[in-house]
Amino acid sequence: MKTFYITTPIYYANDVPHIGHAYTTIAADVLARWRRLKGDRVYFLTGTDEHGSKIAQAAKAAEQSPAAYLEGIVAKYKALWKRLDITTDDYIRTTEERHKQVVQAIFERLIKQGDIYLGKYEGWYCVPDETFWAEGEITEGKCPTCGRPVERITEESYFLRLSAYEKRLLDHYAQNPDFLLPRSRAPEIIQFVKGGLRDLSVSRVKVAWGIPVLSKPEHTVYVWIDALTNYITALGYRLEMSGPLFQEFWPADVHLVGKEIYRFHAVIWPVLLMALGLPLPKRVFAHGWWTVEGEKMSKSRGNVVDPHAVVETYGVDAFRYFLLREVPFGSDGDFSLKAMLGRYNSELANALGNLLNRVLTLVEKNFDGVLDVSAATNELVASSSAEWLASYDEALNRLAFNEGLEKVLALVNQANKFAEDRAPWKLIKDDREKAKSVLVEMARALKLAALALHPVMPTITQEMWQQLGEPVPLGQAAPACSPAEPSPSPQAKRFKKARPFSPRKELLDGGGGGGRGGGEGGGAPAPSPRNPHTFNRRTV
Ligand code: ME8
């Protein structure tokens, strides 16, 4: 059985999560769910980064101890992941013993073997970002990332001997073209390494809220060694004898990160692993950043988008869909409710909802809700289901979520066009068999769409699946959903009445205009506003 280990960054627990954090975690969840559907053994990790001066400062500002403050933030992260239907297998906190002890042991080992040595750090330090900057990197005493003033610092520090690993890193990049993804971002890393690596300061004497270095406890481990090692400590890595999860799942298949922490994952992390004699992750993928209505998201601008608020209006599934559909994974994107509303109405309510509603209503009205789907002619989707799903799978393997979703949308649009051309609601009067075969094709397209969309929109696709007469829950039909063996069993299916998806009906009721022609009739009750899983057309 194939294994698949996927991680998100561990997020700083100095503030509540926003849509940026939701984005990475949803993307990881989609891949994890897709692999599970295919029958792979999956391990999906997220967590929080809980040391450093930023956290201590935030706790102080909240007039709480760091431990109490962290409890509150972690509870918020966990509640959001629950709300967003995130299916992680573990949640690592860097303040946990299972992490701290291993970080300490790793640090000692690296001191012993000479990869970490004691020196003097002198330079600029941005306290809020916990980042050291070289002379040439700052302008007018300001941090190049956040623009806030930097402080001059001179102190004893341990250093990680990055400089000794330049050649090995470059060789690894050259021999493993999938390590740095998307490929368009690889040159910036390669150039950076070719430019010469400086050894990295990896301990602080000024930051008390951190993991003490065992052999020199006045030093605490500087944030990146602490943070990056979470990917192995969570699996039970030990210097002497690692646990079974580590044996099974390391190396990671993909670390998902935002572009601003790519370098740490593409340079420091591989060096640490090389120093420990461990295999490197297969892929490190840096996605782009979301702005909000053209502006960088920040507390000071007051434009931080709370995922709970979006979900309240649009539902979890639509939110997940939008984030992955709107921009290619890897590019930057701009979040606006207007853009979300546009996708929601045109792609979910009109395209997908309309297709489902048409099939369910016509089958109910003309065939007493039962359709024999064994007689598919493949007129609508020429390729076999397996071929179609294999090409969707290929897009997801490249993390090209938007390409995969475009493919599904193209299928749905094609099916709606097919329905309009063949007009089964008219055909039914003269040629029942022909009308039926049109409906079978439409139902087949819907089933493919439900399968493909399931990792992205777990709830609505499950409902679609059941409405299309499939009794076994999508998730449990796992091996049958692999691209090799995808077809739902070809028997007569008892379809359910068109209920949750009724965008057209609501449009007519609401008199909002924009409805599509067709004349296939409605009959579905008005959707309940309390059901967040319906894609009823909305206005702001
Ligand atoms: O960097 N657009 O934590 P962090 C897209 N603790 N993604 C965004 C985003 C945005 N506007 N804002 C945040 C840290 N993210 C470290 C990581 S890992 C060993 C340590 C996402 O709380 C994106 O994944 O600042 C980004 O890399 C991460 O949140 C940064 O989270």
Side-chain angles (χ1 to χ4, degrees), residues 258-279:
K259 63 180 183 181
E260 85 293 357
I261 55 172
Y262 194 33
R263 207 183 266 186
F264 304 107
H265 284 78
V267 179
I268 304 173
W269 183 221
V271 167
L272 273 173
L273 290 166
M274 284 174 183
L276 290 170
L278 292 174

Side-chain angles (χ1 to χ4, degrees), residues 44-116:
F44 171 18
L45 177 71
T46 191
T48 27
D49 193 352
E50 305 191 358
H51 290 125
S53 38
K54 260 204 249 188
I55 309 282
Q57 284 163 10
K60 202 169 159 200
E63 295 177 0
Q64 283 182 307
S65 68
Y69 177 77
L70 286 167
E71 285 303 319
I73 297 288
V74 168
K76 293 229 160 67
Y77 266 97
K78 288 187 173 171
L80 180 63
W81 300 153
K82 195 162 178 227
R83 181 97 195 261
L84 296 179
D85 279 339
I86 302 296
T87 55
T88 40
D89 294 288
D90 196 2
Y91 187 105
I92 179 105
R93 301 180 53 178
T94 54
T95 49
E96 289 173 299
E97 280 309 313
R98 62 169 172 159
H99 176 75
K100 289 198 302 198
Q101 284 174 8
V102 183
V103 169
Q104 287 179 319
I106 288 174
F107 209 93
E108 292 305 311
R109 155 76 71 89
L110 297 185
I111 292 176
K112 213 183 244 168
Q113 59 185 55
D115 280 306
I116 287 182

